[in-house]
Amino acid sequence: MLGGPVYIALIRYVISLAGVIIIFSLMSQPRFGWKKTAVCYGCFGTCLILAACVWYYFDQESCARISAFAMYMSFCCFACFMSLDHFCLKLYKLALTFYLLAVFLIGGIEVSILLFNRNVWADIIVRFLLIYVIALFIEKKAKQTIRGFGNYMENELDRFSITIMIISVLFGIGFIINPNLDNMTPFRLFQIAVNFFLTGALQLLAFRLYLHLGKEKEYEKENQLMQMNHRLMERNIEILEESAESGRRIRHDVRHHNAVIAEYARRGQNEELLQYLKEYDRKADGEMAELICANTAVNNILSAYTRKARAEQIRVSMDVEMGRNPGIPNIDLVTILANAYENAIYGCMEVKRQTQERDCLIHLMIKKKRNKLVIYCSNTCRVETEIKDGQPKPEFTGGIGVSSIIKTAKSYGGEYDFKNDDGVFVFRLLMNIPPAGSVQMEGISGP
């Protein structure tokens, strides 16, 4: 380090710690509101800086060598508590913050040594300017990208990868910070430049890798949604074809019924005519489409999937209470119900392929309670059906539908869970019904 009295060390510590806090806060998701976050970081920073100044006063040499690393480790522990990010994502952002810490620490020291004859105020000014430039770049150019990238990384990053990356970053930056700074040779400057390049390249490589993986997963989800839309269109076409066929059959039968009625009338056989009409009424009642609920769209989609389930020898029981206007757009209800029903049928069919001895059953319940909509669906499934990260693995659901259910449910502040109850797959969903007249833009957009 460049040395100097205690008050100079105090200024350096304040600027460096403030820079680390600002940089990490810009990239992370805070646990508390900004006021409480500022107070917590302020109290923590004050205690840490006072401790560092006392250390500097009694043992300047050891403090100059390892104070930056020790203070940063203390900050890491506190920052993990202050951030809501996933643990592995916190570690990645702390490693990136550590790299940027090395940039403005070494940058200030090297500029002061090379250009200003070890002037401590030059170090402080350069350090402050570098922190300002880094924070401004993150706020204006990289903040949204890093936070969006964090969503990808949270789902894709594994513990082994984050451990190897952090160890590499710590070794690389540790070499930069700890060597003897008195021996300023061209080779030493080359070593510093190479280490900064390698550690920066490692950070960029991780960023690009997980950004690519995340986008690939997004494309996969979009492909699943397109396939689901295709299936929904097929079901709607089936419903239309059945309606058209039913209309043709009714028109054909009506001609025969009219002829029979006319013949009874010509012969004056009134008793026989009345008996015929009663039989006709009974037959018409038996052929009427099953009425599941008052909502036409939901009734049609449930009817279509119920016919498909029964065609596969799957027993179906339903408890549906829904009016014409459930308070949630039909497209979103159909998306959730069709996906859940489709996955339930798929699960039962997998059981039948595995063994013919088990009786397959699907139970669907839909209830509306004030401003809440409850959906419950259970079905027979394979005992080995696995749940990972709160969701069933794609191979046990056909790979389609779960992401669409979750996306639609989240747009209404929904709470959901999936579980395998010893061979019975259970899906539960509780959704908030928006107030009358409000517009749910995400919901209207459909799957």
Side-chain angles (χ1 to χ4, degrees):
M1 289 293 185
L2 300 177
V6 175
Y7 76 91
I8 293 294
L10 175 64
I11 295 174
R12 283 204 193 100
Y13 289 143
V14 169
I15 292 176
S16 299
L17 185 59
V20 168
I21 291 173
I22 290 171
I23 291 171
F24 181 76
S25 299
L26 287 174
M27 295 187 293
S28 67
Q29 183 69 30
R31 182 181 297 274
F32 310 110
W34 69 271
K35 289 185 179 179
K36 187 173 181 179
T37 300
V39 171
C40 291
Y41 274 126
C43 295
F44 167 78
T46 301
C47 296
L48 190 61
I49 289 170
L50 290 176
C53 288
V54 172
W55 183 7
Y56 184 84
Y57 178 80
F58 286 102
D59 191 354
Q60 182 175 338
E61 183 178 353
S62 66
C63 182
R65 286 183 175 277
I66 62 174
S67 62
F69 185 79
M71 290 177 67
Y72 184 74
M73 290 299 102
S74 301
F75 167 77
C76 288
C77 297
F78 188 75
C80 286
F81 168 74
M82 294 295 293
S83 175
L84 271 180
D85 291 326
H86 185 271
F87 180 71
C88 290
L89 186 57
K90 291 178 188 176
L91 294 182
Y92 174 82
K93 291 180 179 179
L94 286 170
L96 178 57
T97 304
F98 189 37
Y99 175 76
L100 297 175
L101 166 68
V103 170
F104 64 74
L105 280 183
I106 300 302
I109 293 172
E110 296 296 336
V111 170
S112 175
I113 292 174
L114 293 175
L115 302 178
F116 296 97
N117 194 26
R118 296 178 175 271
N119 186 288
V120 293
W121 292 106
D123 171 34
I124 291 172
I125 293 172
V126 171
R127 194 175 296 191
F128 175 81
L129 291 176
L130 286 174
I131 292 172
Y132 176 78
V133 170
I134 291 171
L136 186 64
F137 176 79
I138 292 175
E139 176 66 27
K140 299 294 184 182
K141 300 293 185 181
K143 182 177 180 179
Q144 296 301 323
T145 303
I146 290 175
R147 287 193 173 181
F149 155 77
N151 295 331
Y152 298 146
M153 195 172 186
E154 182 175 343
N155 296 323
E156 302 298 332
L157 188 61
D158 59 276
R159 295 179 181 178
F160 177 78
S161 298
I162 190 67
T163 302
I164 295 299
M165 184 186 69
I166 290 175
I167 290 174
S168 302
V169 171
L170 291 179
F171 274 123
I173 301 175
F175 176 82
I176 296 170
I177 292 179
N178 288 325
N180 184 8
L181 296 176
D182 294 329
N183 185 18
M184 294 304 299
T185 64
F187 179 70
R188 159 151 176 76
L189 295 177
F190 176 75
Q191 284 181 313
I192 293 176
V194 169
N195 273 274
F196 267 120
F197 172 78
L198 293 177
T199 50
L202 179 62
Q203 292 279 350
L204 182 61
L205 178 63
F207 181 87
R208 297 287 297 177
L209 173 63
Y210 290 104
L211 188 64
H212 173 75
L213 291 175
K215 287 185 176 180
E216 185 177 354
K217 272 293 178 63
E218 288 293 320
Y219 295 147
E220 182 180 339
K221 289 181 180 178
E222 291 297 325
N223 182 51
Q224 290 180 358
L225 294 178
M226 290 176 63
Q227 292 183 48
M228 193 64 237
N229 286 334
H230 178 70
R231 292 193 179 190
L232 288 176
M233 291 179 64
E234 287 181 341
R235 298 293 171 264
N236 288 329
I237 291 174
E238 289 177 7
I239 293 171
L240 290 174
E241 289 178 346
E242 289 175 0
S243 299
E245 178 63 27
S246 177
R248 286 194 296 269
R249 186 176 65 253
I250 290 173
R251 288 192 297 271
H252 180 268
D253 292 343
V254 162
R255 291 196 299 269
H256 296 290
H257 293 309
N258 288 340
V260 173
I261 292 171
E263 186 64 25
Y264 277 126
R266 277 195 299 269
R267 297 184 179 184
Q269 297 174 327
N270 295 332
E271 293 295 330
E272 289 82 354
L273 176 58
L274 292 174
Q275 183 63 30
Y276 179 80
L277 291 175
K278 289 179 181 179
E279 292 177 359
Y280 179 78
D281 288 340
R282 284 196 298 269
K283 183 179 179 182
D285 290 339
E287 293 180 351
M288 285 183 63
E290 183 180 4
L291 181 62
I292 299 174
C293 68
N295 184 285
T296 304
V298 173
N299 188 83
N300 287 342
I301 201 68
L302 293 181
S303 298
Y305 278 103
T306 299
R307 287 194 295 272
K308 179 179 179 182
R310 288 171 177 166
E312 298 290 340
Q313 285 81 49
I314 301 171
R315 292 192 297 116
V316 177
S317 66
M318 286 185 285
D319 182 9
V320 180
E321 296 180 5
M322 182 177 295
R324 293 182 178 275
N325 183 17
I328 294 176
N330 288 333
I331 184 64
D332 293 325
L333 281 176
V334 168
T335 297
I336 293 173
L337 295 174
N339 280 303
Y341 215 153
E342 181 96 16
N343 290 340
I345 294 173
Y346 179 87
C348 290
M349 292 173 64
E350 286 294 297
V351 171
K352 285 185 171 294
R353 292 190 187 99
Q354 191 179 55
T355 176
Q356 294 294 329
E357 297 178 357
R358 290 185 64 188
D359 186 26
C360 292
L361 170 66
I362 296 175
H363 176 67
L364 178 65
M365 182 191 74
I366 306 173
K367 300 282 186 179
K368 181 181 178 183
K369 299 293 185 180
R370 297 181 182 178
N371 65 331
K372 303 288 185 181
L373 184 67
V374 180
I375 298 176
Y376 173 94
C377 182
S378 65
N379 63 274
T380 309
C381 70
R382 293 163 59 184
V383 177
E384 60 268 24
T385 299
E386 296 182 23
I387 306 294
K388 182 180 180 181
D389 298 329
Q391 301 178 25
K393 288 187 174 181
E395 58 265 31
F396 297 106
T397 62
I400 298 175
V402 173
S403 60
S404 181
I405 291 174
I406 294 174
K407 181 179 179 181
T408 306
K410 284 183 176 179
S411 65
Y412 295 95
E415 299 179 7
Y416 58 89
D417 74 334
F418 303 88
K419 68 175 182 177
N420 178 4
D421 190 6
D422 194 24
V424 177
F425 186 82
V426 177
F427 161 61
R428 295 180 295 184
L429 173 64
L430 177 66
M431 285 199 304
N432 299 315
I433 299 175
S438 66
V439 179
Q440 287 282 333
M441 295 305 296
E442 289 181 315
I444 291 175
S445 64

